[in-house]
Amino acid sequence: MPTELSEDLKMLRQTIHEFAEKEVAPVARKYDEEEAVPYPVLKKAAELGLFGIPFPEEYGGIEMGITGYCILMEELNRFDASVGTIIGASVQLAGMTIFLGGSEEQKRKYLTPIATGEKIGAWCLTEPNAGSDAAHIKTTARQDGDEWVLNGSKMWITNGSFADTLVVFATIDPSLGPRGITAFIVEKDFPGFKVGKVEEKMGLRASHTASLFFEDCRVPAANVIGQPGQGFAISMQTLDIGRAGLGAASLGSAKQAFEYARAYAVERQQFGRPIADFQAIQFKLAEMAVKIYTMEEVVYHCATLVDNRKPATIESSIVKLYCTDSASQVIDEAIQIHGGMGFSRELPLERMYRDARVTRIFEGTNEIQKHVIARELLKQVGYKPKG
């Protein structure tokens, strides 16, 4: 545990860990196998105030900052990455976008119910032809009096099939590129909004991911977040903050996988003694521990920067890149230490392995993170790469 955590944050960690161990872990396999959203778990998380951790009290939160949010993601993802993903998409993507760019009226009307867990949010950026190239989305927004009319589609939207409040990015003029992108708040009951296919996925199967369609979907002008053309900047700011949480989620999964592997190494007998006696296993545990130590340091360093309102673009991309890569490696080694049992669905490692794979893809692929890191490093010496 990072030594700089306050007593309040340590108590928060203990509370979330106990909740996750009692309410999340026992049902994680069930919801994964049924590919069902764990609504009872989400309700209990809301009652505990977990959806409001990073937000001010005036909007229904408990004001524990991004550090508190990272603790939430770490502890939930120890036992079920689907629950962590559902809450993360609602809180850190949809909720945080409204908090960062929204008006006071928007925050009270839309952020507060997200922060209390009364309503679930979704964040709608990715499209069939705009994933990593998010600056060139095709969904359009046309102003018509006191309303905007949205047309287009989104895909791979976490919570999209059941969210109450959606933050939707559309362009008011494709020729403007990123400067034309605008963020809108869409309620699920707005005419012209339709839910399409819910994806059948390798992992995160209790976290539903859907295609969405907007067909002359009319949105009040009061639901524009910020000003027209500010959407891309707000989305990038949201992702800079959110990637710390994704790193924390990966950290939680890695820690739990390590604990399973260490315990098994002590218990499992081969050649007349515990496999923990063998150097091959000891080295695996040592390498896993090094990765986890480093993950923890970069996650909470980045969270501290964000909470102190300091720039963290490079740091958040490093966190996302390093932690998602490392978590997959740690879980893979945990499976190797377990041998055949690690490959069995009887243990949670198999599910953790599947769930971890997508973390190198969403919220900006790891290849994009390398691009961001290199771009920012070169910018520091006054060089702007071409292409």
Side-chain angles (χ1 to χ4, degrees):
M1 183 183 296
T3 55
E4 70 270 17
L5 289 186
S6 66
E7 288 303 314
D8 285 345
L9 288 170
K10 290 177 183 177
M11 288 178 62
L12 178 69
R13 181 187 290 277
Q14 181 178 349
T15 298
I16 300 169
H17 184 87
E18 290 174 357
F19 165 78
E21 204 166 37
K22 179 183 176 182
E23 304 291 349
V24 178
V27 296
R29 179 178 175 180
K30 169 183 179 292
Y31 285 110
D32 175 74
E33 291 181 346
E34 295 176 359
E35 299 190 51
V37 176
Y39 292 113
V41 175
L42 299 178
K43 182 180 179 181
K44 291 174 183 176
E47 292 169 353
L48 203 57
L50 302 188
F51 284 81
I53 284 176
F55 301 120
E57 293 180 7
E58 62 188 301
Y59 304 123
I62 61 174
E63 216 155 338
M64 300 294 275
I66 297 304
T67 301
Y69 173 73
C70 285
I71 291 171
L72 171 67
M73 288 295 101
E74 180 185 334
E75 294 301 329
L76 289 179
N77 281 270
R78 277 179 172 267
F79 301 106
D80 189 1
S82 284
V83 170
T85 299
I86 293 168
I87 295 178
S90 184
V91 173
Q92 187 53 46
L93 292 177
M96 189 57 68
T97 300
I98 298 170
F99 178 66
L100 292 173
S103 66
E104 186 65 24
E105 182 181 354
Q106 289 170 346
K107 291 174 186 177
R108 296 198 179 279
K109 182 177 180 180
Y110 292 110
L111 175 59
T112 299
I114 288 176
T116 60
E118 177 187 347
K119 293 188 176 180
I120 296 293
W123 201 72
C124 311
L125 180 64
T126 302
E127 297 182 358
N129 294 307
S132 295
D133 187 14
H136 292 91
I137 60 175
K138 302 299 183 185
T139 298
T140 60
R142 171 180 56 84
Q143 191 163 18
D144 182 17
D146 291 334
E147 295 180 318
W148 288 83
V149 182
L150 305 188
N151 280 283
S153 63
K154 300 291 180 179
M155 69 183 304
W156 307 119
I157 306 303
T158 301
N159 301 347
S161 61
F162 63 95
D164 305 286
T165 304
L166 303 99
V167 173
V168 181
F169 296 88
T171 179
I172 59 174
D173 184 349
S175 69
L176 294 176
R179 291 175 296 170
I181 295 176
T182 303
F184 300 85
I185 300 173
V186 175
E187 298 177 25
K188 67 177 181 180
D189 295 327
F190 281 1
F193 168 67
K194 297 180 181 179
V195 176
K197 176 186 177 184
V198 176
E199 299 294 336
E200 297 178 359
K201 307 192 302 291
M202 175 195 298
L204 298 182
R205 297 197 298 194
S207 166
H208 285 189
T209 305
S211 298
L212 308 177
F213 299 94
F214 303 87
E215 299 172 0
D216 290 332
C217 180
R218 304 188 77 87
V219 181
N223 282 26
V224 174
I225 300 176
Q227 297 296 319
Q230 292 183 343
F232 188 76
I234 295 171
S235 73
M236 293 300 105
Q237 187 180 3
T238 301
L239 286 173
D240 276 354
I241 295 173
R243 285 168 181 151
L246 182 53
S250 298
L251 170 63
S253 298
K255 280 187 175 181
Q256 195 65 28
F258 172 81
E259 290 180 11
Y260 289 145
R262 180 172 55 180
Y264 189 79
V266 172
E267 296 168 1
R268 173 65 169 163
Q269 297 271 335
Q270 287 289 280
F271 304 100
R273 50 183 170 157
I275 62 172
D277 283 353
F278 299 110
Q279 190 179 70
I281 301 299
Q282 293 173 2
F283 279 11
K284 286 183 184 297
L285 293 172
E287 290 165 358
M288 293 160 77
V290 168
K291 286 184 171 64
I292 289 168
Y293 177 88
T294 308
M295 291 167 73
E296 190 164 43
E297 291 301 311
V298 297
V299 164
Y300 288 100
H301 172 68
C302 183
T304 300
L305 290 177
V306 174
D307 281 337
N308 289 326
R309 299 184 179 181
K310 294 181 179 179
T313 298
I314 290 180
E315 288 82 0
S316 67
S317 284
I318 289 173
V319 166
K320 201 276 183 182
L321 173 64
Y322 182 78
C323 291
T324 57
D325 275 348
S326 295
S328 290
Q329 293 162 6
V330 169
I331 295 168
D332 185 72
E333 288 287 40
I335 289 174
Q336 192 69 17
I337 289 171
H338 279 78
M341 283 302 298
F343 198 65
S344 168
R345 293 173 66 185
E346 184 177 337
L347 298 182
L349 286 169
E350 173 269 341
R351 172 170 46 82
M352 294 169 70
Y353 187 81
R354 288 187 285 106
D355 288 346
R357 183 59 187 88
V358 75
T359 63
R360 288 179 273 161
I361 297 171
F362 62 15
E363 291 197 34
T365 64
N366 283 11
E367 290 76 15
I368 287 293
Q369 303 316 311
K370 293 176 184 179
H371 165 74
V372 172
I373 294 165
R375 181 194 67 199
E376 294 299 314
L377 290 172
L378 291 168
K379 189 187 296 183
Q380 291 174 358
V381 292
Y383 182 78
K384 183 177 181 180
K386 295 181 174 62

